[in-house]
């Protein structure tokens, strides 16, 4: 723990600019834009409006640092990662307040995220140390003449592009693994939530002594900043989390240079509830699966399939409990009743309300919610927990990722129908199955075409296990032992060890005839 790390008073302030080559600096063109507080719509602070010149400066700083950082041992890198974990812990309160203020998520949830940041750095520190033991690992090829060994080397400079729903945590998922592998980093946070990324880089450099150029942050809009990073020829790999549409553009940019890419592109995850589940258990996981983080979760179980024998009881209880969810300022201390913060921005708020209006127009029945929560402030991007029944598979709320607190419900009466409805999607990120039947849950866990399956729960996420999906939900994985592999190239070294000649073209004892 952080017993030797001092609290940094600068973490209480919102940093502005970029963090390049070990220092905070203004964008080269000195252009800025306002960041809006989602809870009251006032100006929270400002962000750098960086361009390709800033991106190039960050990439060149990372490139200059790469050779030295990439040749350190995993044990040396682990020491830095543990210091960063300590620094985050020492400043957890300030970072949590900043994260909640900027993203709109309730303070309790932001604090949970910040706690996970420390866990992620320590976990990747362990992986970095284990990497040393893997270097030179022998491979038995079945021929005693050859000695084959494997070595693991960093891919090089990496560009990391992360979203606004988990600003510091999703940045850490990528940054910690990349640093553990020996890669230098250029991080591009969402233009909506840049602040804690700057804190993370500054703490790493100033409080932990991370060499300059190893961890850089460039803030700005996607088109001005993210696109040049994805296309930069000196970036060996891009790791992106965001929408399918933007992920496709990132993949095209990497394809042009035949460069490494990993993508986590969200989903439209189902939660399947069988009739042997207790009502309150089902309601708890239904709500946590879609209302947590204000519904702005890539893996949100936003499509509910409930067995028709138990659906009336579950829906009645769901409507009752959802009505107790109160709108709150994100900085409201923890209370005994559930609460929900604002969505991150005006465009996201308008998008979610448009989906709700569209569902009503298409004939879905509104069970609860559908607008601003009762008692919500007059300002702020608040949307009440919303549940629709009478949904059909052709409706937008069943097919499209909404990224808000909106649940679409259908019922089923047999497993084949449930699986057909659950599987009929572009998404392959996650799914949840609620049942007391262990044979059924095991069968469904293997049958569902997703990267993550939750049994009798929804949304738990651990840095120790791989995170990612199939289909259009992406390529590759964050977290777990698979996370660091994404930033490594494996090299085989083969040595001929036999004392006798190979003798393919010149057999032993062969004498070449004299030239005629």
């Amino acid at each position: 723990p952080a017993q030797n790390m001092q609290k940094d008073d600068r973490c209480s302030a919102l940093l502005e600019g970029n963090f390049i080559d070990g220092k905070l600096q203004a964008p080269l063109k000195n252009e800025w834009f306002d960041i809006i507080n989602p809870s009251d719509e006032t100006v929270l602070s400002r962000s750098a409006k960086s361009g390709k010149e800033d991106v190039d400066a960050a990439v060149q700083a990372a490139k200059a640092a790469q050779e030295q950082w990439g040749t350190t041992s995993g044990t040396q890198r682990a020491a830095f990662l543990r210091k960063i974990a300590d620094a985050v812990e020492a400043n957890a309160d300030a970072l949590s307040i900043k994260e909640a203020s900027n993203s709109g998520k309730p303070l309790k949830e932001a604090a949970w995220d910040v706690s996970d940041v420390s866990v992620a750095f320590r976990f990747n520190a362990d992986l970095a140390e284990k990497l040393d033991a893997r270097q030179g690992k022998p491979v038995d090829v079945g021929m005693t003449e050859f000695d084959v060994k494997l070595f693991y080397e960093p891919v090089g400079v990496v560009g990391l592009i992360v979203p606004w729903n988990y600003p510091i945590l999703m940045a850490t998922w990528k940054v910690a693994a990349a640093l553990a592998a020996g890669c230098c980093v250029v991080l591009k946070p969402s233009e909506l939530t840049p602040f804690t990324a700057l804190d993370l880089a500054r703490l790493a450099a100033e409080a932990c002594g991370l060499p300059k150029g190893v961890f850089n942050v460039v803030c700005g809009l996607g088109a001005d900043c993210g696109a040049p990073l994805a296309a930069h020829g000196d970036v060996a790999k891009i790791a992106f989390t965001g929408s399918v549409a933007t992920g496709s553009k990132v993949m095209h940019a990497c394809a042009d240079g035949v460069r490494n890419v990993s993508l986590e592109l969200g989903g439209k995850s189902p939660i399947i509830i069988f009739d042997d589940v207790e009502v309150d258990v089902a309601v708890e996981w239904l709500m946590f699966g879609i209302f947590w983080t204000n519904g702005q979760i890539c893996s949100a179980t936003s499509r509910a399939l409930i067995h028709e024998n138990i659906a009336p009881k579950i829906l009645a209880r769901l409507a009752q409990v959802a009505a107790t969810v109160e709108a709150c300022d994100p900085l409201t201390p923890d209370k005994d009743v559930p609460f929900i913060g604002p969505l991150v921005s005006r465009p996201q708020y308008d998008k979610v309300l448009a989906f709700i209006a569209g569902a009503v127009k298409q004939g879905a029945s509104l069970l609860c919610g559908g607008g601003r929560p009762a008692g919500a402030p007059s300002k702020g991007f608040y949307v009440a927990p919303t549940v629709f029944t009478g949904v059909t598979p052709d409706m937008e709320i069943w097919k499209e990722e909404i990224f808000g607190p909106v649940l679409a419900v259908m019922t089923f009466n047999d497993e084949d129908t449930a699986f057909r409805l659950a599987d009929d999607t572009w998404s392959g990120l996650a799914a949840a199955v609620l049942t007391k039947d262990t044979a059924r849950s095991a069968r469904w866990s293997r049958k569902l075409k997703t990267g993550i399956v939750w049994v009798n729960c929804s949304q738990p996420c651990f840095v120790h296990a791989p995170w990612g999906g199939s289909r259009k939900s992406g390529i590759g994985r964050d977290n777990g032992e698979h996370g660091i592999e994404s930033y490594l190239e494996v090299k085989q070294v083969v040595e001929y060890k036999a004392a006798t000649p190979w003798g393919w073209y010149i057999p032993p004892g062969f004498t070449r005839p004299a030239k005629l």
Side-chain angles (χ1 to χ4, degrees), residues 271-446:
I271 180 168
I272 304 99
I273 303 174
F274 288 92
D275 57 359
D276 58 348
V277 176
E278 294 176 12
V279 169
D280 277 356
V281 170
V283 170
E284 172 68 33
W285 289 115
L286 277 168
M287 293 182 64
F288 193 76
I290 188 62
F291 302 147
W292 180 43
T293 310
N294 311 333
Q296 300 170 127
I297 312 175
C298 56
S299 59
T301 39
S302 57
R303 294 187 298 140
L305 288 159
I306 308 176
H307 196 286
E308 61 184 22
N309 290 347
I310 199 172
K313 292 182 179 178
I314 288 177
L315 293 174
R317 181 63 170 153
L318 178 60
Q320 179 186 30
V321 180
T324 69
V325 177
E326 298 179 7
C328 71
D329 183 284
L331 299 184
T332 302
D334 190 18
K335 298 189 294 183
D336 293 331
V337 296
F339 52 88
I340 195 166
L343 302 186
V344 72
S345 68
R346 168 64 67 179
Q348 185 63 20
Y349 174 76
D350 291 342
K351 174 187 171 185
V352 171
L353 291 182
F355 269 112
I356 292 171
V360 172
K361 186 175 181 180
Q362 287 186 307
S365 299
L366 191 62
L367 180 69
C368 60
R372 294 181 71 82
S378 59
K379 292 285 189 178
F381 309 126
Y382 293 92
V383 175
T386 298
V387 179
F388 280 101
T389 60
V391 175
T392 57
D394 60 323
M395 291 183 179
E396 284 189 342
I397 57 166
W398 187 257
K399 298 188 297 182
E400 302 297 329
E401 186 174 37
I402 298 172
F403 235 65
V406 181
L407 178 67
V409 179
M410 293 185 67
T411 60
F412 66 92
N413 59 13
D414 64 83
E415 284 199 34
D416 288 343
T417 300
F419 181 78
R420 176 176 54 80
L421 291 169
D423 191 56
D424 184 20
T425 177
W426 55 270
S427 163
L429 181 55
V433 180
L434 273 58
T435 179
K436 291 181 179 179
D437 186 331
T438 56
R440 177 191 285 150
S441 63
R443 184 171 64 250
W444 274 75
S445 295
R446 298 304 302 272

Side-chain angles (χ1 to χ4, degrees), residues 9 11 23 34 40 126 202 216 223 239 275 287 349 359 371 383 390 404 441 464 469 502:
D9 292 337
C11 281
K23 58 183 180 294
D34 290 338
D40 61 13
D126 293 344
R202 189 184 63 79
N216 308 276
D275 57 359
M287 293 182 64
Y349 174 76
V383 175
S441 63
H464 316 79
W502 180 236

